[in-house]
Amino acid sequence: MWEKQINLNQVVEIRSKTTVYFGVGAINKMEDIAGSLAKRGIRKIVVVTGRSSHVKTGAWAVTQKALDEKGITYILYSKITPNPTVDQVDEAAKLASDFGAQAVLAIGGGSPIDAAKSVAVLLAYPDQTARNLCEFKFTPEKAAPIIAINLTHGTGTEADRFAVVSIPEKEYKPALAYDCLYPLYSINDPALMTMLPPEQTVYVSVDAINHVVEAATTINANPLAITLAQETVGLVARYLPLAKAEPDNLTARYFLLYASMIAGVAFDNGLLHFTHALEHPLSGVKPELTHGLGLGILLPAVVKQIYAAKSEILAHILAPIVPGLTGSPSEADKAYAGLKKWLKEIGIKEHLAEEGFTQADVEKLTQLAFETPSLELLLSLAPVPATRETVRAIYQDSL
């Protein structure tokens, strides 16, 4: 019973702050959101997005109409790339400030939403820069209101207090976590996600799996995070193959999106540890590496390292994708092999070497894991001591 691994005397935080409109057709709630913004006296906003998905999905047409009807003017920043950078955030923040924007609307997946959260902070602190924010040279306590229209089912950032932005010249990819980063409103409409290609569908869903595996096994884990983890893994196991086979299947998209959202809530409450702390150096060094792919390659090696410490919890939550685990601490190799098998079946590469990493990179990646602002905090939350030897072993095992 996984309940045995819960420390009854540890006081934990349970968080939930964002209003999320969820379901097919939720994009039409933009009319209500625009009305709410107008009532708050907000007449100018900046829209932060990628190059084209906001248009291709149809999200922008509905949003534009709602804003126009409520008399809200806007300026568009559409240069956000995967693994967004501090330079993009600074450019968007300057555009927004010069325009007089009073709120930030993000349209996209994790990258545009995370960038938009950072822009919202800089609107509240106009004398600061994105580098200062991402190197923790100040602690923000406020931000402009944030609205998120989510276009992927992976990050959960539309419902949590996290944001990730890279500092290219240092190859840093720190994680921000502040209460002011919770969106005021978010839209989760599965109909906006039917255009996700099969490969991206897999990567974002594996991101959600990693969120809950980590959240359920940190030293801050709580019953809510573990319960959400079990539900997330079960839903992804059931609906990911269907979404790959039938991209337009709204039932599959709905439940993968739900899994992603509750996974965001899970790690908002349980936090993260090894897999994200070690993936951020990977995509910090190679920004072209998709975050979910990097996580998927690392996950089996991470589970092998932590299994003995959290065997009953891991057996419980991994059952839909690695059947037959009993919760014995001696099953680490079985869990490792089972995860690798499932990940390969859904389309995740097995080795970092396939993404261009070599033995020569291990020491640099290890150093970045401990040097990048915020990542050492994640490492400190791991259920086993996060020594350099352990971090090296995970990278080595994943090569």
Side-chain angles (χ1 to χ4, degrees):
M1 294 288 290
W2 65 265
E3 291 92 340
K4 295 177 183 178
Q5 295 194 303
I6 294 295
N7 179 357
L8 305 184
N9 297 309
Q10 182 181 12
V11 178
V12 297
E13 296 180 7
I14 304 296
R15 293 172 171 267
S16 180
K17 292 194 175 184
T18 298
T19 298
V20 180
Y21 294 107
F22 189 100
V24 176
I27 185 62
N28 295 309
K29 283 291 185 179
M30 262 311 301
E31 182 177 350
D32 293 346
I33 293 172
S36 175
L37 295 178
K39 286 179 182 177
R40 289 169 175 261
I42 294 173
R43 295 297 174 183
K44 290 185 174 185
I45 67 169
V46 60
V47 180
V48 177
T49 186
R51 299 188 188 282
S52 60
S53 61
H54 63 295
V55 175
K56 291 179 180 177
T57 59
W60 177 235
V62 177
T63 300
Q64 190 176 31
K65 181 174 181 290
L67 295 174
D68 288 343
E69 288 179 352
K70 299 301 180 182
I72 298 174
T73 58
Y74 45 84
I75 192 165
L76 188 68
Y77 183 85
S78 57
K79 300 180 184 179
I80 301 299
T81 59
N83 294 311
T85 69
V86 287
D87 297 307
Q88 292 169 1
V89 170
D90 279 336
E91 186 177 27
K94 184 178 187 309
L95 182 76
S97 179
D98 290 347
F99 180 66
Q102 302 160 281
V104 183
L105 169 63
I107 307 178
S111 295
I113 297 174
D114 284 2
K117 288 180 176 183
S118 303
V119 170
V121 170
L122 295 185
L123 282 178
Y125 294 88
D127 58 331
Q128 296 289 351
T129 67
R131 280 177 175 78
N132 286 347
L133 175 64
C134 293
E135 293 191 77
F136 299 87
K137 293 182 178 178
F138 74 104
T139 301
E141 296 181 352
K142 59 185 178 178
I146 302 160
I147 302 92
I149 300 174
N150 183 25
L151 298 184
T152 68
H153 44 71
T155 70
T157 190
E158 78 279 4
D160 67 35
R161 60 193 156 118
F162 293 90
V164 177
V165 176
S166 297
I167 306 173
E169 70 275 12
K170 293 187 175 182
E171 298 179 316
Y172 286 173
K173 188 179 174 183
L176 307 176
Y178 299 110
D179 279 6
C180 62
L181 297 183
Y182 283 106
L184 181 63
Y185 297 107
S186 290
I187 287 175
N188 268 344
D189 188 335
L192 300 177
M193 301 174 194
T194 58
M195 297 177 66
L196 281 175
E199 189 176 71
Q200 191 65 18
T201 294
V202 169
Y203 296 159
V204 295
S205 299
V206 167
D207 191 5
I209 291 285
N210 275 275
H211 287 155
V212 296
V213 170
E214 291 171 83
T217 55
T218 66
I219 60 174
N220 285 338
N222 58 64
L224 176 63
I226 295 166
T227 300
L228 295 177
Q230 180 191 24
E231 182 72 359
T232 296
V233 176
L235 289 171
V236 172
R238 191 176 314 135
Y239 288 104
L240 178 55
L242 183 58
K244 286 183 66 181
E246 303 174 23
D248 293 332
N249 190 305
L250 288 177
T251 298
R253 296 292 183 185
Y254 181 100
F255 285 106
L256 288 175
L257 179 55
Y258 177 69
S260 166
M261 184 185 69
I262 64 173
V265 175
F267 86 83
D268 205 19
N269 283 279
L271 303 178
L272 302 169
H273 57 77
F274 278 125
T275 323
H276 274 75
L278 271 66
E279 193 288 324
H280 284 201
L282 294 178
S283 48
V285 170
K286 293 183 181 291
E288 68 276 13
L289 175 67
T290 302
H291 177 59
L293 174 57
L295 291 171
I297 296 173
L298 291 170
L299 180 60
V302 169
V303 168
K304 182 195 287 188
Q305 289 292 332
I306 69 171
Y307 195 86
K310 296 290 182 179
S311 56
E312 291 172 322
I313 292 172
L314 286 166
H316 176 70
I317 66 175
L318 293 176
I321 56 179
V322 188
L325 296 174
T326 67
S328 168
S330 64
E331 294 176 318
D333 287 339
K334 181 177 181 180
Y336 171 85
L339 269 175
K340 286 189 78 74
K341 179 176 182 292
W342 180 77
L343 289 163
K344 183 177 181 180
E345 287 172 352
I346 63 170
I348 293 290
K349 295 174 183 177
E350 292 188 81
H351 308 291
L352 291 176
E354 296 173 75
E355 291 299 308
F357 291 96
T358 69
Q359 181 66 46
D361 294 313
V362 170
E363 196 58 40
K364 178 181 182 179
L365 294 169
T366 300
Q367 180 63 26
L368 283 170
F370 287 92
E371 176 185 291
T372 300
S374 79
L375 297 190
E376 194 163 8
L377 173 61
L378 296 188
L379 292 174
S380 74
L381 299 171
V384 299
T387 64
R388 288 178 180 266
E389 290 71 25
T390 301
V391 170
R392 285 191 199 96
I394 293 170
Y395 281 132
Q396 185 69 52
D397 204 357
S398 303
L399 269 179

